[in-house]
Amino acid sequence: MSIAAVLIVKNEQAHLPACLETLAWVDEIVVVDAGSVDDTCRIARQFTDKVVVEDDWQGFGIQRQRAESRVESDWILMVDADERVTPELRASIQEALGKGEAAIFTLPRLSWCFGDYIRHSGWYPDRVARLYPRGRAGYNAALVHEKLENSEGLPVKPLEGDLLHFTYRDLRHYLEKSAHYAQAWAEQRAARGKRGSLSSGIIHGIGCFLRMYLLKAGFLDGRQGLLLALLSAHSTFAKYADLWVRTRTSPPLPDAGAGR
């Protein structure tokens, strides 16, 4: 069974070489770029001739669908540029494909964040469905938080070996990504007629902190766990606040007497 590693990228020159080096064993690498202005495409072409630029961004789901459509191999391994396939995970993938069973496989993802690997806080094993037979499963068209759809009801099975995730370069990078996801989440909800409130943002934010730091044992991740719980609570509040701003506020009506 042939396998393709598939990536959607933009301005990932810092991460891409290390990621692609851990994928040298696959039969095919497909990279769909969203309009990078750095050396991302040049680096990608050092590893594969299947590099395509699709810069009319319509969301993560659509971009993954475009990447899927370029694949010729039997299996798809969806990977992000800030991830690395460990030798243990590679062996687990090859063993699973060798059995010839049609299934969707989940990969345990271990994230490095703010100076350490996060093994609690609800972040590990953070299983993600990333290995699937081409044409029998595929991503939906969600703007953000896209999901792999299993329309045929294929069995879902776990693999061993970690997918390393180098998620944030620094605090600024975290805040930028958080703001981007909050905006996309609010846009998606507003388009479906949903409304937000500041009170719901506060409640969900507090709930997020308690869940991560206490219920998910984030305190065992030390200072990184505390920082992540606080930041996640802020991000949760921000997305509800963004939705509220979009749906509950509007500019004042023109005043005929204004300016007199």
Side-chain angles (χ1 to χ4, degrees):
M1 289 293 208
S2 58
I3 178 172
V6 178
L7 297 88
I8 62 171
V9 298
K10 184 176 183 181
N11 296 331
E12 290 287 1
Q13 66 177 14
H15 280 297
L16 198 57
C19 174
L20 293 178
E21 285 171 2
T22 69
L23 297 169
W25 52 276
V26 302
D27 302 290
E28 179 186 10
I29 296 177
V30 176
V31 177
V32 174
D33 182 82
S36 295
V37 295
D38 62 5
D39 283 340
T40 293
C41 290
R42 182 188 63 80
I43 293 170
R45 292 189 178 101
Q46 295 176 357
F47 293 84
T48 177
D49 60 355
K50 290 196 170 183
V51 180
V52 181
V53 177
E54 297 278 6
D55 57 4
D56 58 328
W57 182 256
Q58 298 181 38
F60 287 94
I62 294 295
Q63 201 75 345
R64 293 200 191 276
Q65 291 176 355
R66 290 169 169 173
E68 288 171 334
S69 70
R70 303 279 179 173
V71 174
E72 297 179 7
S73 297
D74 302 305
W75 285 80
I76 292 177
L77 173 63
M78 189 68 71
V79 182
D80 290 336
D82 60 359
E83 296 172 340
R84 315 283 184 266
V85 174
T86 60
E88 295 78 11
L89 178 56
R90 168 185 172 177
S92 184
I93 291 173
Q94 292 175 323
E95 179 182 358
L97 297 190
K99 295 178 181 178
E101 178 183 7
I104 292 175
F105 294 95
T106 63
L107 287 55
R109 187 166 60 172
L110 176 61
S111 294
W112 171 273
C113 189
F114 303 136
D116 206 351
Y117 286 110
I118 307 301
R119 299 183 180 275
H120 306 90
S121 304
W123 275 35
Y124 187 76
D126 185 30
R127 286 196 167 271
V128 287
R130 295 288 192 81
L131 180 64
Y132 52 99
R134 178 176 62 88
R136 303 192 63 180
Y139 278 85
N140 61 20
L143 182 64
V144 67
H145 298 312
E146 69 284 7
K147 294 183 179 179
L148 184 67
E149 294 186 333
N150 184 9
S151 58
E152 294 188 18
L154 297 174
V156 179
K157 298 191 173 184
L159 294 179
E160 301 301 320
D162 291 329
L163 177 69
L164 302 182
H165 186 205
F166 297 89
T167 176
Y168 302 113
R169 295 187 301 272
D170 49 34
L171 185 57
R172 176 176 178 174
H173 186 214
Y174 177 96
L175 294 173
E176 288 174 347
K177 289 185 70 173
S178 174
H180 174 74
Y181 281 120
Q183 176 183 346
W185 182 89
E187 287 179 356
Q188 196 166 256
R189 299 275 291 185
R192 297 204 300 264
K194 302 294 184 179
R195 289 180 172 270
S197 68
L198 296 182
S199 60
S200 64
I202 292 172
I203 293 171
H204 281 89
I206 293 174
C208 174
F209 177 84
L210 295 175
R211 184 170 56 255
M212 284 189 67
Y213 196 66
L214 297 179
L215 296 181
K216 300 295 184 180
F219 56 88
L220 294 178
D221 288 314
R223 294 178 180 179
Q224 285 86 356
L226 176 60
L227 178 58
L228 282 174
L230 290 170
L231 289 173
S232 296
H234 168 266
S235 299
T236 299
F237 170 78
K239 68 182 186 181
Y240 282 92
D242 191 327
L243 180 60
W244 175 76
V245 169
R246 290 172 185 276
T247 58
R248 296 291 179 91
T249 62
S250 58
L253 295 175
D255 185 353
R260 291 182 180 177

